[in-house]
Amino acid sequence: MNKVSHLINSNIFNNINQNCVIINPIQTFEKKIITKYDEEEITNLALNINLIVKHQQNIRIRKPTPSYFFGKGQVSNFKIFLNKYSSKLLLINCQISPVQQRNLELFLNCKILDRTGLILEIFGERAVTKHGKLQVELAALFYQKSRLVRSWTHLERQRGGYGFMGGPGERQIESDKRQINKRISKIKKELKKIESNKLIQRRNRNKNLNPFISLVGYTNAGKSTFFNYLTKENVFVKNQLFATLDTTMRKCSISNNNHVILSDTVGFITNLPTELVISFKTTLDEIHFSDYLLHIIDISNPEWEKQKKTVEAILATILGDKYDQRKIIEIWNKSDLLNKEDLRYFKNFSDRNNGAILFSSKFRSGKEDLLKLITNKLKKNKKFL
């Protein structure tokens, strides 16, 4: 990452097996309830970068303060938690401003990571391909750019020259911003080249009239396992958040002479950072050009309805006017984890719902119903007649 590597790394917590304390802010005017699953999700995010969660606390906030986000009394309690659990890292389960982050770090004398920073950390570890790494670096630079005030609180000026070049010189923060902007510009150019290559691939797919279907869903809903089952591939699968960052495309046979192109995409999450949506434009653009979307839903999760709404909201943001519910097929995945009563309920419900398939990659059930549904949709689609 050349000249700007120290700027990105200044916001990254690389030590593994480090103790941390998690704070879940509950803003009373939002009337939001922190569920057990919400607590487990932020814990799992922390575990994904090998942190040890020593304590987790829900904190009610009537009105966020401009300087610390929390009240001074609450911040003083955080210092007690940090000392008690020998932690030098505080995770805040929401996004806070750069000034609030800096003030908290100075007051508590510890490292602060908000939800956006934590997700960026995970993406940084998961990216494998050059494309994925560039997208994550771009997101990290956008995020870090607004937080340079934390890295250079002294704002010292570099030494000026003599005569015409004399004067107080350039502030270090100004120099760093210039370097970051330069790197952002370079990454955008590289991503444009990748985007043009993908455009050529899309044109070739359109010429061959191969139906293109993308998998979408909440992170860890089982998309990659589902993808492997349908395509007989062996892409990376692990029971962790954001196991897949790079788009994978493979052929999937739907009958003796017909096949579709199936694409596995990055998973979504509640409060997905804006920086990631912008940076992953070339990856998420595959959704734009999909003929159909398979929305993979983990129905064994007690929060599946909430996750479904989160994914639909993100899709509506990405697709805009092109968002069409008729192009979405719901895959009610992980049915093997349901008890008998719930399984019977979902089976009866899916039988009455033409746009939903009860599925289990583990028990290999639901594939025939899905392929039949896709085939029927393609027969009615004028594009493929």
Side-chain angles (χ1 to χ4, degrees):
M1 287 183 211
N2 57 46
K3 292 181 181 179
V4 294
S5 60
H6 74 284
L7 301 178
I8 299 171
N9 290 334
S10 67
N11 194 44
I12 289 180
F13 200 86
N14 288 319
N15 295 348
I16 61 171
N17 299 326
Q18 182 72 34
N19 292 345
C20 72
V21 172
I22 296 175
I23 299 298
N24 295 313
I26 306 171
Q27 299 186 48
T28 52
F29 63 88
E30 289 182 346
K31 296 180 180 179
K32 182 184 175 185
I33 300 171
I34 297 289
T35 65
K36 184 181 178 183
Y37 178 78
D38 291 325
E39 293 176 356
E40 288 174 356
E41 184 177 79
I42 187 65
T43 299
N44 287 333
L45 285 170
L47 294 175
N48 269 254
I49 51 171
N50 301 310
L51 296 173
I52 300 170
V53 179
K54 301 297 288 186
H55 180 69
Q56 185 168 176
Q57 185 87 19
N58 297 338
I59 300 291
R60 291 193 173 275
I61 304 171
R62 289 183 182 177
K63 186 180 179 182
T65 63
S67 54
Y68 292 104
F69 188 80
F70 303 94
K72 280 193 175 180
Q74 292 172 328
V75 177
S76 297
N77 286 336
F78 298 164
K79 190 173 278 190
I80 296 171
F81 296 148
L82 292 165
N83 291 333
K84 182 179 178 181
Y85 298 104
S86 304
S87 173
K88 280 288 183 180
L89 175 62
L90 185 72
L91 301 183
I92 298 174
N93 193 12
C94 72
Q95 188 167 359
I96 59 175
S97 74
V99 172
Q100 290 166 342
Q101 190 167 346
R102 180 200 63 186
N103 290 342
L104 283 170
E105 286 185 343
L106 290 173
F107 186 87
L108 298 172
N109 190 28
C110 76
K111 172 73 182 168
I112 302 290
L113 266 184
D114 65 2
R115 187 180 176 88
T116 299
L118 183 58
I119 293 173
L120 284 172
E121 291 282 343
I122 298 168
F123 271 61
E125 286 199 0
R126 298 281 185 271
V128 176
T129 64
K130 182 184 177 183
H131 185 203
K133 288 178 180 177
L134 283 172
Q135 291 179 119
V136 173
E137 186 184 348
L138 183 62
L141 286 168
F142 277 132
Y143 178 75
Q144 185 69 14
K145 187 178 174 183
S146 65
R147 281 164 164 72
L148 282 177
V149 64
R150 295 172 47 251
S151 304
W152 303 103
T153 51
H154 56 291
L155 298 179
E156 288 179 352
R157 291 182 184 272
Q158 296 175 357
R159 184 178 177 181
Y162 295 100
F164 181 72
M165 295 297 292
E170 183 184 45
R171 287 183 187 272
Q172 181 66 59
I173 190 172
E174 290 162 355
S175 172
D176 290 341
K177 275 188 177 179
R178 191 180 69 254
Q179 289 178 30
I180 283 182
N181 286 332
K182 194 175 178 180
R183 181 61 182 157
I184 286 174
S185 180
K186 188 177 179 182
I187 293 175
K188 283 182 175 179
K189 286 178 183 177
E190 291 185 58
L191 288 174
K192 270 195 173 182
K193 289 179 184 177
I194 295 172
E195 196 170 348
S196 64
N197 290 335
K198 286 183 175 289
L199 192 60
I200 293 168
Q201 292 171 4
R202 289 188 196 114
R203 284 172 182 166
N204 291 335
R205 283 201 304 266
N206 288 334
K207 284 180 184 177
N208 296 329
L209 286 177
N210 291 326
F212 185 64
I213 299 175
S214 290
L215 307 185
V216 296
Y218 207 82
T219 182
N220 206 29
K223 293 186 298 300
S224 295
T225 304
F226 176 89
F227 180 85
N228 284 341
Y229 174 40
L230 287 189
T231 61
K232 298 177 182 177
E233 282 292 325
N234 191 29
V235 299
F236 179 71
V237 173
K238 195 171 182 180
N239 185 25
Q240 63 183 17
L241 302 175
F242 302 116
T244 302
L245 284 191
D246 300 296
T247 301
T248 307
M249 297 182 199
R250 294 292 185 273
K251 284 184 179 180
C252 171
S253 177
I254 57 174
S255 63
N256 292 334
N257 301 316
N258 298 316
H259 68 267
V260 299
I261 304 297
L262 207 61
S263 171
D264 188 15
T265 62
V266 62
F268 299 145
I269 195 168
T270 306
N271 299 324
L272 186 69
T274 308
E275 293 89 348
L276 284 172
V277 176
I278 295 169
S279 302
F280 274 72
K281 180 183 179 298
T282 48
T283 295
L284 297 175
D285 266 354
E286 299 297 347
I287 296 172
H288 266 286
F289 296 93
S290 299
D291 297 300
Y292 296 99
L293 298 174
L294 299 186
H295 181 180
I296 315 299
I297 302 169
D298 175 9
I299 53 165
S300 67
N301 192 309
E303 300 282 323
W304 72 270
E305 288 178 289
K306 180 181 172 183
Q307 291 182 352
K308 177 187 170 183
K309 288 177 182 177
T310 296
V311 172
E312 288 174 344
I314 295 171
L315 285 175
T317 301
I318 294 168
L319 295 172
D321 295 337
K322 290 186 177 180
Y323 182 78
D324 187 351
Q325 191 67 42
R326 292 171 298 181
K327 288 187 176 182
I328 300 175
I329 300 172
E330 291 183 8
I331 308 296
W332 294 349
N333 198 28
K334 301 188 182 182
S335 60
D336 51 281
L337 298 178
L338 296 173
N339 58 43
K340 289 183 179 180
E341 186 179 340
D342 286 341
L343 182 61
R344 193 181 305 114
Y345 168 80
F346 280 108
K347 191 175 186 317
N348 292 335
F349 198 84
S350 65
D351 288 342
R352 297 193 303 270
N353 191 333
N354 294 327
I357 301 290
L358 196 63
F359 207 92
S360 170
S361 300
K362 183 178 179 180
F363 290 163
R364 298 182 175 272
S365 63
K367 181 178 178 180
E368 293 75 16
D369 292 336
L370 173 61
L371 297 183
K372 185 179 177 182
L373 179 59
I374 292 173
T375 302
N376 290 337
K377 281 184 175 290
L378 292 175
K379 284 179 180 178
K380 296 175 184 178
N381 194 324
K382 293 178 181 179
K383 181 180 175 181
F384 304 108
L385 291 177

